[in-house]
Every structure is written in C-alpha cells, then in structure tokens.
Amino acid sequence: MTDLTTLKLYATRPHACSYLPGEDATTVFIDPTASIDAAVYSDLSRYGFRRSGSHVYRPHCETCHACIPIRLLTQEFKPNRAQKRCQKTNSDLSITFVDSIDTDEHYSVYERYINDRHSDGDMFPPSRGQYTDFLTAEWGATRYIEMRSAEGELLAVAVTDFLDHGLSAVYSFFSPQAAKRSLGSFAVLHQIQLAQEKKLPYLYLGYWIRKCQKMSYKTLFQPYQVMVGQNWVTVTDKPPEVASKMQLL
C-alpha cells in the first residue's frame, strides 16, 4: 500500500449541510497540489475518501457523523426479484465505453436530470462549467459508460473509476423521460457486473445517510459494507448488532 502519511489535509469552514436540515458540514480535502495517481487514489478509497473532479475529500463534521462510507461486496451479490426485473427491462440497451462526455448531447441529459431530480440540491442550477469540473477523468482511472436505446438515443451515463481493488461509482445521470426504466439502479447493477467480470471485490457507492431518503437505494444492494470507525463492517439486512453501531454514528 502507498504511504499516505505524507499527504496534507485541509478542512473547509462549517457550512450548511446539503442533506440534513439544521446541520453544519465540514469537509477535509487532500492537498490539491499533492501528487495523486491511481494507486494513491485506490488506497484513499479504502479509508472512505471520494473524489469530486480532481478533489479528493471526506466528511469530517464536528458534531454529526451521519455520512457513512458504503461499498458493495460484488462477488457475493445476488440480484433480488426487483433487480432482476430492472435488468430485464433494460436488456435492450446498447452499453459502451466512451472516452469523453464533453458534448452537447451528454450535457443536455445531465442538465435535464439535475433540473428534474435535484432542484433542491447544491448542484442546482446546473451549468456547463460545473458539469465539466465535476465529471472529469482523473489519473487514468475513469471510464464513461453510455447507455443508449435501440434507436440510438442517449438515456444514461455512468462515470466509473477503476481502482486496484474495485470500482467507484462516481456519478450517474439519466433522462427523466426514461424514469420507468430505473436507470439509476441499472447503472449500479451494470457496475456490479463489471466488477464481477474483472474479479474486483468492491463497488464503492460514496456515502450513505440513514435519514436521507435519496440515499436509501444504496442499501438495497446486498451484501454491503459500511465503515464503522476505521473498520469496514459487513451488513446483510442490517443485523441488530451492526444496526445498533450505525445508530451511534
């Protein structure tokens, strides 16, 4: 593993939390001038760090510990009935890797997605600059996954980072007009499949907040692990002993 002790961390000032009303949030960032590569980024992921564009960060709030790192155990995953239906519904899609999503076509889908699904979040209103900065390809680890209809219409994009021990689901967005396809869930299912094919044990889904409805989908993919303290704990149907620990976070 890479020695991470030499990396400097910087903290933001407390600011209003985007997910929990009435809470203040503080974020720590890896020094943006630090030399980061795919190996360092992979190691940081093991400790609950994520990236937004080229910035690698982790929540570090003084009084609230609701943001819990979560990752799926891909080799043990078995789709439930609803997830199998989702796979079947989307079996007609054409799925390919592309090198860039810096086009009007891709941005149009992103813009409609943010306006429809996240008009109450800190990514609203969307802009081309925000889109470009947020969904960059970093350290040679990033792949863009396109999902198109049989007629060639772009329906969804999944931005995925390939780590040395798993995949990281950076972000996905889809056409609101195709909501019945459950493309957000399908993007996760496809990334699980990719990890299984490459024999990678984990798919990182960022952070899970128990009281945030928009994040509840993450625990529908089982088994998964959450970070309790500095340890990853496996959860299947939230057994009581783990659920009680999570209540304390």
Side-chain angles (χ1 to χ4, degrees):
M1 272 187 155
T2 307
D3 181 9
L4 306 180
T5 60
T6 59
L7 294 175
K8 296 179 181 178
L9 297 174
Y10 296 94
T12 65
R13 293 182 181 276
H15 53 278
C17 179
S18 300
Y19 300 104
L20 298 177
E23 294 287 350
D24 285 334
T26 301
T27 305
V28 292
F29 286 89
I30 300 295
D31 181 357
T33 66
S35 179
I36 302 290
D37 57 21
V40 173
Y41 174 47
S42 290
D43 284 349
L44 288 168
S45 296
R46 298 178 192 271
Y47 294 97
F49 282 85
R50 293 282 286 173
R51 78 169 179 90
S52 176
S54 60
H55 298 288
V56 182
Y57 70 95
R58 180 175 172 175
H60 190 70
C61 305
E62 184 175 349
T63 60
C64 176
H65 305 284
C67 291
I68 304 172
I70 182 171
R71 67 186 185 184
L72 309 183
L73 297 174
T74 59
Q75 304 305 307
E76 299 172 39
F77 172 77
K78 295 288 189 297
N80 61 29
R81 186 175 301 175
Q83 290 160 349
K84 287 179 180 178
R85 283 200 303 268
C86 181
Q87 289 173 322
K88 183 176 181 180
T89 297
N90 292 290
S91 61
D92 62 324
L93 296 182
S94 172
I95 303 175
T96 57
F97 287 111
V98 294
D99 295 330
S100 173
I101 55 171
D102 188 18
T103 71
D104 291 342
E105 180 188 32
H106 293 91
Y107 176 70
S108 176
V109 176
Y110 172 83
E111 182 179 42
R112 284 183 280 126
Y113 173 76
I114 296 296
N115 287 336
D116 185 81
R117 291 299 184 98
H118 297 287
S119 60
D120 59 343
D122 56 8
M123 296 171 68
F124 180 85
S127 70
R128 192 64 177 260
Q130 170 220 58
Y131 170 79
T132 301
D133 291 343
F134 175 38
L135 299 178
T136 55
E138 297 297 330
W139 312 301
T142 308
R143 305 294 299 275
Y144 300 110
I145 305 171
E146 272 190 354
M147 302 179 186
R148 293 182 179 271
S149 69
E151 295 74 31
E153 179 186 2
L154 179 66
L155 296 182
V157 173
V159 183
T160 309
D161 286 343
F162 282 68
L163 312 175
D164 60 14
H165 60 290
L167 302 181
S168 178
V170 177
Y171 200 69
S172 63
F173 55 93
F174 55 85
S175 171
Q177 287 69 39
K180 291 183 178 180
R181 285 180 173 269
S182 299
L183 288 166
S185 293
F186 182 68
V188 175
L189 290 167
H190 184 70
Q191 289 170 98
I192 291 173
Q193 180 182 332
L194 280 175
Q196 290 173 336
E197 291 171 354
K198 295 182 178 298
K199 295 181 170 34
L200 295 171
Y202 306 116
L203 172 63
Y204 288 84
L205 293 183
Y207 303 107
W208 173 68
I209 299 175
R210 181 171 55 87
K211 294 182 180 180
C212 181
Q213 182 62 33
K214 287 185 177 180
M215 293 189 182
S216 61
Y217 76 92
K218 297 183 181 185
T219 60
L220 298 178
F221 301 89
Q222 298 192 15
Y224 60 88
Q225 293 184 326
V226 294
M227 183 170 275
V228 178
Q230 293 300 312
N231 299 309
W232 289 98
V233 178
T234 300
V235 181
T236 303
D237 291 325
K238 283 191 276 190
E241 67 274 13
V242 176
S244 63
K245 290 180 183 178
M246 291 161 62
Q247 294 283 343
L248 300 175
L249 294 176

